Amino acid sequence: ANLFFQLINQLYGQTSIIITSNKGPEEWGDILGDPAITTAILDRLIHKSEVIHLTGDSYRLKHRQTIFGNN
């Protein structure tokens, strides 16, 4: 969490950042293990941002091919 915060903090206000996740912001605290740092990360990421929330079946999973054939 600390290293991720340092990265986001260095990039904040200097460049564009694109992050994709299959977890919502409310779950990031559990994933990163530190709710306070997670809040600081999300503050920087969401400030002046456009959040795009996609729903529905995964196109990638729907059309994937595996070593076992089409799934």
Side-chain angles (χ1 to χ4, degrees), residues 32-44:
L32 295 175
D34 188 333
I37 290 178
T38 301
T39 300
I41 291 169
L42 289 170
D43 283 345
R44 285 160 179 77

Side-chain angles (χ1 to χ4, degrees), residues 5-17:
F5 172 75
Q6 289 175 25
L7 173 67
I8 297 301
N9 199 42
Q10 283 184 331
L11 297 174
Y12 177 68
Q14 296 182 21
T15 189
S16 299
I17 302 171

Side-chain angles (χ1 to χ4, degrees), residues 1 4-9 12 17 19-21 23-32 34-51:
F4 188 48
F5 172 75
Q6 289 175 25
L7 173 67
I8 297 301
N9 199 42
Y12 177 68
I17 302 171
I19 294 183
T20 63
S21 176
K23 304 293 182 188
E26 65 279 356
E27 298 173 82
W28 283 32
D30 294 334
I31 295 167
L32 295 175
D34 188 333
I37 290 178
T38 301
T39 300
I41 291 169
L42 289 170
D43 283 345
R44 285 160 179 77
L45 289 175
I46 295 174
H47 182 243
K48 295 184 181 179
S49 70
E50 182 72 30
V51 177

